[in-house]
């Protein structure tokens, strides 16, 4: 495995608390006075395993695990 991609709190978007990102998407700019903060709750790590035959993929398996995350820095 070389890359697991985005890892973060299961209750957020791209690892961050949803309030900031939803407002940023609505306004198309970062909302003033609203801090970007990590999502809460357990983390989720998702990844794929490829079964290779030579240079071609013979099979693919998607895996996902819930993990404990360290507390976010304030």
């Amino acid at each position: 495995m070389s890359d697991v991609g985005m890892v973060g709190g299961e209750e957020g978007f791209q690892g961050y608390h949803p309030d900031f990102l939803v407002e940023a998407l609505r306004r198309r700019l970062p909302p003033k006075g609203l801090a970007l903060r990590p999502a809460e709750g357990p983390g989720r790590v998702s990844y794929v395993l490829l079964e290779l035959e030579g240079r071609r993929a013979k099979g693919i398996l998607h895996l996902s695990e819930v993990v404990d995350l360290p507390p976010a820095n304030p």
Side-chain angles (χ1 to χ4, degrees):
M1 181 177 354
S2 64
D3 184 16
V4 294
M6 183 64 67
V7 176
E10 190 172 37
E11 298 174 15
F13 298 119
Q14 296 185 341
Y16 293 101
H17 199 276
D19 56 1
F20 181 93
L21 294 173
V22 168
E23 284 303 310
L25 290 171
R26 280 185 182 159
R27 299 176 190 193
R28 296 189 182 183
L29 354 138
K32 292 179 180 162
L34 197 56
L36 182 60
R37 59 189 166 109
E40 298 169 358
R44 176 162 301 276
V45 178
S46 296
Y47 52 99
V48 296
L49 292 177
L50 298 174
E51 182 181 356
L52 302 176
E53 189 171 279
R55 293 174 44 165
R56 295 184 180 258
K58 182 178 174 183
I60 184 168
L61 178 64
H62 174 258
L63 298 163
S64 185
E65 298 177 37
V66 175
V67 297
D68 289 328
L69 295 175
N73 294 333

